[in-house]
């Protein structure tokens, strides 16, 4: 297909989506929005074949409708930042990771016990990311017999951290 035909097809789909959002109150969730961005792009360039998302985000943010659109992303689309700065119809909420107490509770739920200092180290190492901590807790159970302290002092742990980050990124 030519790019003109694709753009026209995208415009038709956007109009249909916006019409649906104005006709019925909907909740549209777009998860892991950062996956449409080019890896390592500090200017929020879109991956090949995903550039239409920028226009979609802008249209969703600027259109008058009664629906709610929730984007989850580790990076904010430029179009959302621009519209959010201009008016109240778009709100940005930055979520922080779990605190040390919550990490300790999460580890406990995974049948691990750890000293407060160990929980603090894990909170820092994984930025309080609950998914990363759950993944690590399985590694601690399987390879370290539940000893979180031994895991934190293992010289091979940085390689495991990289593996976990790649898994989360994918």
């Amino acid at each position: 297909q030519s790019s003109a035909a694709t753009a026209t097809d995208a415009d038709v789909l956007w109009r249909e989506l916006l019409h649906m959002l104005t006709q019925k109150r909907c909740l549209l969730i777009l998860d892991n929005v950062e996956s449409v961005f080019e890896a390592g792009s500090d200017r929020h360039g879109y991956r090949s074949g995903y550039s239409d998302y920028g226009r979609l985000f802008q249209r969703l943010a600027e259109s008058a409708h009664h629906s709610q659109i929730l984007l989850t992303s580790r990076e904010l689309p430029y179009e959302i930042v621009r519209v959010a700065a201009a008016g109240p119809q778009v709100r940005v909420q930055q979520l922080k990771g779990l605190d040390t107490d919550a990490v300790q509770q999460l580890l406990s739920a995974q049948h691990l016990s750890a000293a407060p200092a160990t929980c603090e180290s894990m909170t820092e190492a994984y930025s309080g990311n609950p998914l990363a901590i759950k993944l690590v807790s399985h590694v601690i159970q399987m390879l370290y017999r539940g000893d979180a302290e031994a895991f934190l002092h293992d010289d091979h742990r940085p390689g495991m951290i990289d593996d976990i980050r790649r898994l989360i990124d994918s």
Side-chain angles (χ1 to χ4, degrees), residues 45-127:
Y46 290 92
R47 290 174 41 200
S48 177
Y50 291 84
S51 60
D52 286 340
Y53 274 88
R55 290 190 301 166
L56 173 63
F57 297 145
Q58 185 168 344
R59 285 185 182 196
L60 289 173
E62 292 176 343
S63 67
H65 56 79
H66 300 291
S67 293
Q68 301 291 315
I69 295 131
L70 174 65
L71 305 179
T72 66
S73 183
R74 286 185 240 152
E75 299 178 44
L76 281 172
Y78 169 75
E79 297 82 5
I80 298 296
V81 172
R82 190 176 54 71
V83 174
Q89 73 271 22
V90 174
R91 284 179 244 132
V92 175
Q93 177 69 44
Q94 184 172 1
L95 301 178
K96 297 181 181 177
L98 300 176
D99 63 16
T100 302
D101 290 337
V103 168
Q104 191 161 24
Q105 290 175 7
L106 181 60
L107 291 175
S108 178
Q110 300 294 318
H111 307 292
L112 294 173
S113 61
T118 302
C119 291
E120 189 172 330
S121 295
M122 289 187 72
T123 303
E124 284 181 33
Y126 299 100
S127 302

Side-chain angles (χ1 to χ4, degrees), residues 126 156-169:
Y126 299 100
H156 296 95
R157 185 175 60 90
M160 284 185 253
I161 292 171
D162 290 341
D163 291 343
I164 289 168
R165 283 199 178 113
R166 278 192 291 277
L167 179 61
I168 291 172
D169 285 342

